[in-house]
Structures are given as C-alpha cells and as structure tokens.
C-alpha cells in the first residue's frame, strides 16, 4: 500500500481539530508541509509533550509525507514559549528538509488560516482549502500516528490528551480511544467540584461535556475542569436566539468586533459588526445575505474581548452557520485577499487572552505521566471524523484483541475503527462497546 492507503487503513484523523480524515489531505500541488504544533489555546500542552517525548517519531512522520507528496520542505511550527522549553530557535534544521518555525505567542495562532500566513506569508483564498495555496497542514500527533502506522503497521488505538484547569497538577496522559472520561478522572484522582464544568478542548473553542457519559475520541485534545462563573464557560451557555434579538437592537456599530477579527485582519470579507445587525427573518428568507459567516473560525475574540455592549457576535454567527449548513451554502472566494497593515498590532497576546477568559491562574505546564492501559471498558464511536460514519464489521458477543478492526470505512470520505483494548463487543447504532472479559 502507498502512504495514502496506509493512513486511511490506520484510521488517522486530524488530531488537533474537527477530525478531517488525514489521507484526504495528501493532494498534488503542495510545496510546503506546515506542521501544526502551535497549541492554539491556553492550558493545553499535548503537542509540547509530543515534541518533548516523541520528536524522532514526529520527524519520521513528516519525512514520510514529504517523500510521498513530493513536497520540498516541511516547517514544524511552534509558539515562542514552546521553542524555548524545547531549547530550539527559529530556523533550526531538525532533519533533511525539515525546519523549525517559531510563531508569536498570540491567540488564535494555531487556527489553520492564521498559521499558514504566519509560517509562509501566504493567504488562503476565503473558503478555499490550504492546498490551493500550495500548503498541506497536519498536526504533530497526526504525524506521529503516520510514523507509527508506517513503521509498525499499527492503527490508531490510543490518544494523547491534556487534563488541566482547576486541579493541583495538570497532566498529559495517553489512554485507549473510547476511554470513559469518568473512569479516566477516577484513575487520576480528579474530582469535578459542584458548579464546575468539563470542557472537551480548549477554554475558547472547547465544548461542555457530561463527564459521566462522555468518552475520549480521536479528536480529544484536552479535558478542562473549570468553574462555571468564568467568562470562558459563561459564553458557552449563551442563547443564540436571544443573542440575535439583543444584537439587532443593542449594537452600537462601533466595529470593534470586525477590527479585532483574525480572519478580517487577513483580508477576509467577514464583518461581524454587520452580521449582528442583519435581521434573522431576512437571513432566513435569503441566507445568501450571511454567506460570509462560514469564514468565521469560532475563536471567540469578538464576544469575549472586542464587544463593549455585552453582545456575542460569535453566537449570532453560529446561528447563521447553522442556517447556511441547512441550505448547503458556504462562501468560496475566487479573489486574492491581502492582510491589513495593522494586523500585527492587533494580535492578542496569549497571556492577555487567558486573563480575559479567566483561566490564567490555572495555566501551568502539564506533566507527562505516560500511558495508561488498564481500563476495563471503552466506547468507540462510529463517527469520529468528518465524512460518512464507519460501518460495524463485528457482531454482539465477538471477542476482539487490541488493534483488530471493528468497523470498516464507508464509501466516500470515511475511516475504519479499531479495538483499543481486548474484550467482548456490543454493537449499537452509533458506537461499539468493548468490555474486558473477566476470567
């Protein structure tokens, strides 16, 4: 099999984002591989742990992609604070055709479009894929998984993640895919206090989850335990319809949300201050009015930092994204765009952003504690990636070993799934449960 087939068969997804099947990114026409080790959000240290503990395997994954896609150069991109901890400097040659690129400690550096511009000076046309700018972007964990699948013919069965927030010592741990969050917390003596929430992801873009029901998936980058009264959490409970109604009447059109928008500063035709004054009724009748909402990266700067009226442009835009998705509409630009001259002066320092979110006091470097394998139960979802869900290829009662295929890829854009522990399977419509057999 060639590398593209190996990556698909191994079930490799983008480990740092929405779960796009990584094999589908290996298109012709790229001349730079951008490796995302930026750790976009505060409190997360998963990528740092990878580079600290598994740099040779990450470089091996980069080499494999460079060779397969005939890409001349790879840039391993990390923020300045990570480079200092790794004792590396900008431009360091890490291996043949692979160099370190340091990024400013700003938010949301790690967003794919911002990362590409910062690393290469290229702006991806609005709504287009990075390959149109000659770039492929992959996360460091994704490339580690590439190296493992090539060297050992091993599929993705485990996940690295940060556990942080209001706990004594943040940790990075490796666990089987499908590990219940409740069992993970219990094993590591982590208690979620009353009036606290758990986020899957970072404090800005992470989702509130129920720790008693949620499990670790291939895209789980971090689990954060945070008090419910801080701005990072309060923003996640905003009512979208109420936000639209309030925005229509309270917005003073100061334009600060647009002035601070990272995508607008790259020249994208995204103007949140106009979006919040667009009547929802009009947008429902003519969704093309809000087409540029699909260009929003969801960073949250507009609602938590920019707006002086307590309005959430992000909540409004999220509503319009849903409306556009329902109508199968999105913005795809053909025009070249150019960054605003003031962009570098409006980027938000990471420390300031952490303070605005109310999480600065919890930001401590996480300690890698190794791999934990002794879990008696996992729940492996058939949809852990963008595209068609996997199709179960096992039946109730089957006994499987770690690494056995339990679900095939569907037709089209899809991936298979594998057992992450030994045990007996139970098949449901959307997931496969594996329980260890007690002898």
């Amino acid at each position: 099999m060639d590398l593209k087939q190996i990556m698909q068969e191994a079930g490799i997804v983008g480990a740092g984002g929405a779960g796009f099947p990584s094999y589908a990114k290996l298109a012709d026409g790229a001349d730079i591989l951008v490796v995302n080790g930026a750790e976009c959000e505060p409190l997360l240290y998963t990528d740092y742990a990878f580079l600290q503990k598994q740099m040779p395997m990450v470089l091996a994954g980069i080499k494999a992609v460079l060779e397969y896609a005939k890409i001349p150069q790879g840039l391993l991109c990390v923020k300045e604070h990570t480079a200092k901890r790794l004792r590396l400097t900008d431009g360091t040659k890490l291996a043949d055709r692979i160099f370190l690129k340091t990024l400013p400690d700003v938010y949301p550096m790690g967003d794919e479009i911002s990362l590409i511009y910062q690393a290469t000076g290229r702006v991806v046309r609005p709504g287009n894929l990075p390959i149109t700018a000659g770039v492929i972007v992959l996360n460091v964990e994704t490339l580690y998984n590439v190296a493992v699948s090539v060297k050992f013919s091993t599929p993705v069965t485990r996940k690295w993640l940060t556990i942080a927030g209001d706990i004594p010592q943040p940790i990075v741990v490796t666990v089987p895919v499908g590990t219940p969050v409740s069992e993970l917390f219990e094993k590591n003596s982590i208690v979620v206090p009353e009036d606290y929430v758990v986020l899957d992801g970072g404090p800005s873009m992470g989702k509130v989850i129920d720790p008693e029901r949620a499990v670790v998936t291939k895209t789980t980058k971090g689990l954060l335990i945070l008090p419910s009264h801080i701005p990072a959490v309060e923003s996640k409970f905003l009512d979208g319809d109420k936000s639209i109604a309030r925005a229509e009447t309270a917005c003073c059109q100061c334009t600060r949300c647009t002035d601070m928008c990272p995508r607008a500063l790259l020249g994208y035709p995204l103007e949140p201050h106009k979006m919040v004054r667009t009547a929802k009724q009009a947008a429902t009748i003519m969704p093309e009015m809000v087409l540029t909402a699909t260009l929003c990266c969801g960073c949250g700067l507009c609602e938590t930092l920019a707006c002086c009226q307590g309005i959430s442009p992000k909540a409004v835009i999220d509503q319009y994204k849903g409306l556009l998705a329902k109508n199968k509409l999105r913005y795809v630009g053909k025009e070249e765009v150019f960054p605003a001259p003031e962009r570098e002066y409006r980027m938000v320092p990471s420390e300031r952003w952490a303070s605005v979110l109310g999480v600065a006091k919890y930001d401590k470097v996480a300690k890698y504690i190794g791999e934990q394998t002794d879990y008696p139960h996992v729940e492996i979802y058939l949809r852990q990636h963008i595209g068609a869900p996997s199709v179960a290829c096992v039946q109730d009662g089957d006994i499987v070993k770690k690494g056995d295929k339990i679900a095939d890829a569907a037709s089209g854009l899809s991936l298979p799934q594998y057992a992450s522990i030994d045990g007996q399977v139970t098949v449901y419509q959307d997931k496969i449960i594996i329980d260890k057999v007690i002898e």
Side-chain angles (χ1 to χ4, degrees):
M1 290 192 293
D2 66 15
L3 182 63
K4 199 168 185 177
Q5 292 173 309
I6 290 171
M7 290 170 64
Q8 182 178 21
E9 190 61 25
I12 299 173
V13 304
F20 191 80
S22 301
Y23 76 89
K25 288 190 174 185
L26 299 190
D28 293 334
D31 59 3
I32 296 181
L33 172 64
V34 170
V35 181
N36 190 349
E39 217 92 71
C40 182
E41 298 222 44
L43 310 188
L44 300 180
Y45 287 89
T46 310
D47 292 346
Y48 167 64
F50 256 108
L51 297 175
Q52 185 185 42
K53 302 295 183 181
Q54 295 289 348
M55 180 70 86
M57 289 297 284
V58 173
L59 294 177
I62 297 172
K63 288 178 184 177
V65 172
L66 293 181
E67 291 172 8
Y68 174 81
K70 298 180 174 59
I71 301 174
Q73 180 181 207
L75 298 177
L76 174 53
C77 301
V78 299
K79 288 182 179 175
E80 291 170 351
H81 70 266
T82 300
K84 288 177 182 177
R85 291 191 179 106
L86 294 172
R87 297 182 180 179
L88 296 171
T89 56
D90 187 49
T92 299
K93 186 175 183 180
L94 302 171
D96 182 38
R97 296 186 292 150
I98 304 172
F99 301 88
L100 189 84
K101 178 66 178 178
T102 58
L103 309 167
D105 287 328
V106 298
Y107 177 79
M109 191 55 62
D111 162 55
E112 189 171 69
I113 303 303
S114 297
L115 174 65
I116 289 171
Y117 175 70
Q118 201 69 39
T120 70
R122 303 177 187 181
V123 180
V124 179
R125 290 193 301 273
N128 286 258
L129 295 174
I131 192 64
T132 61
V135 180
I136 291 174
V137 182
L138 294 171
N139 178 261
V140 294
E141 185 175 1
T142 303
L143 287 157
Y144 168 84
N145 287 332
V146 170
V148 169
S149 66
V150 170
K151 187 173 182 178
F152 303 110
S153 299
T154 301
V156 177
T157 61
R158 59 182 186 167
K159 189 72 180 76
W160 292 53
L161 67 146
T162 302
I163 304 177
D166 192 3
I167 60 176
Q169 174 59 58
I171 59 174
V172 175
V173 63
T174 309
V175 298
V177 171
T179 298
V181 171
S182 59
E183 294 179 18
L184 173 60
F185 283 179
E186 183 179 356
K187 190 176 191 68
N188 291 283
S189 302
I190 293 170
V191 177
V192 181
E194 200 171 328
D195 202 29
Y196 274 59
V197 301
V198 177
L199 303 184
D200 184 329
S204 309
M205 300 189 219
K207 306 296 183 184
V208 177
I209 61 170
D210 179 353
E212 296 302 316
R213 300 181 62 185
V215 302
V216 173
T217 71
K218 292 179 181 179
T219 58
T220 302
K221 203 70 178 177
L223 296 169
L224 306 181
I225 299 93
L226 296 171
S228 57
H229 64 269
I230 62 173
V233 176
E234 289 177 336
S235 66
K236 300 182 189 305
F237 292 98
L238 292 173
D239 183 293
D241 289 330
K242 288 182 179 178
S243 294
I244 287 178
R246 186 175 182 203
E248 289 174 355
T249 56
C251 177
C252 66
Q253 289 291 281
C254 68
T255 76
R256 282 185 61 184
C257 54
T258 298
D259 293 342
M260 295 296 294
C261 175
R263 293 287 178 90
L265 288 169
L266 282 172
Y268 276 37
L270 176 61
E271 298 177 289
H273 75 283
K274 292 183 179 178
M275 205 75 68
V276 298
R277 293 303 297 269
T278 302
K280 186 178 181 181
Q281 294 86 344
T284 302
I285 296 170
M286 192 181 298
E288 293 84 356
M289 291 177 60
V290 292
L291 200 59
T292 58
T294 60
L295 301 178
C296 170
C297 69
C299 70
L301 281 173
C302 57
E303 71 177 5
T304 311
L305 179 65
C307 186
C308 60
Q309 299 281 20
I311 295 169
S312 173
K314 178 180 178 295
V316 174
I317 291 172
D318 284 345
Q319 289 277 303
Y320 289 147
K321 282 182 179 179
L323 178 64
L324 292 166
K326 184 178 179 181
N327 287 277
K328 297 181 179 180
L329 294 171
R330 67 186 183 93
Y331 186 95
V332 180
K334 296 182 180 180
E335 73 282 5
E336 297 290 335
V337 295
F338 303 94
E342 62 271 19
R343 174 181 177 270
E344 66 176 296
Y345 306 109
R346 291 186 182 168
M347 293 193 291
V348 179
S350 298
E351 289 185 1
R352 182 186 178 199
W353 180 238
S355 296
V356 169
L357 293 174
V359 301
K361 62 183 176 181
Y362 309 126
D363 197 0
K364 308 169 189 174
V365 179
K367 176 183 178 182
Y368 181 61
I369 63 171
E371 184 171 6
Q372 296 178 342
T373 58
D374 190 23
Y375 287 94
H377 166 91
V378 294
E379 298 181 16
I380 299 176
Y381 283 88
L382 299 177
R383 186 187 290 278
Q384 296 188 61
H385 53 265
I386 290 174
S390 312
V391 180
C393 60
V394 291
Q395 297 179 344
D396 286 354
D398 285 353
I399 302 296
V400 295
K401 295 286 187 182
K402 177 183 174 182
D404 287 350
K405 184 184 287 188
I406 57 174
D408 291 315
S411 58
L413 187 67
S414 188
L415 290 169
Q417 306 294 340
Y418 295 86
S420 57
I421 62 172
D422 301 345
Q424 187 174 42
V425 306
T426 305
V427 181
Y428 294 86
Q429 184 175 3
D430 63 339
K431 64 185 176 182
I432 296 173
I433 293 178
I434 305 175
D435 291 293
K436 279 192 174 179
V437 178
I438 307 294
E439 296 184 1

